[in-house]
Amino acid sequence: MTLDRVKRGQSFKITSIPNEVVRVQAIRFGIAEGETVSCEEVVPAGPIVIRKNKQQIALGRGLARQIGVVMSCTEKE
């Protein structure tokens, strides 16, 4: 599953960032493989806003589409 398919309130773990350029972009946002983050908002046809600790990060769909994730057991209600 890729990051662009997550839904608001879901927590997930980043499992893969296969493209080196995308990995560098993600690291600039403070995101790396193995991190657990949550989805704050999914803007229709727009960015996906995720939360890592107290930081909110808006990722474009193209970037999100290239980041592999797996759902976490904890979901925000």
Side-chain angles (χ1 to χ4, degrees):
M1 176 175 190
T2 54
L3 180 57
D4 64 311
R5 300 200 179 247
V6 299
K7 295 182 176 150
R8 183 179 179 194
Q10 292 181 320
S11 292
F12 51 91
K13 183 175 183 177
I14 297 173
T15 57
S16 67
I17 307 174
N19 184 315
E20 190 65 31
V21 174
V22 173
R23 181 178 294 132
V24 169
Q25 289 176 322
I27 288 171
R28 287 181 182 150
F29 288 126
I31 302 167
E33 293 163 333
E35 304 251 8
T36 299
V37 296
S38 62
C39 180
E40 288 291 309
E41 190 66 55
V42 177
V43 179
I48 296 169
V49 181
I50 63 172
R51 174 178 291 275
K52 178 187 164 199
N53 300 324
K54 294 182 178 181
Q55 180 181 18
Q56 288 186 331
I57 305 163
L59 299 172
R61 295 246 175 200
L63 181 61
R65 195 172 295 123
Q66 298 180 58
I67 298 175
V69 299
V70 62
M71 287 299 133
S72 175
C73 295
T74 308
E75 288 192 20
K76 185 175 160 184
E77 293 184 22

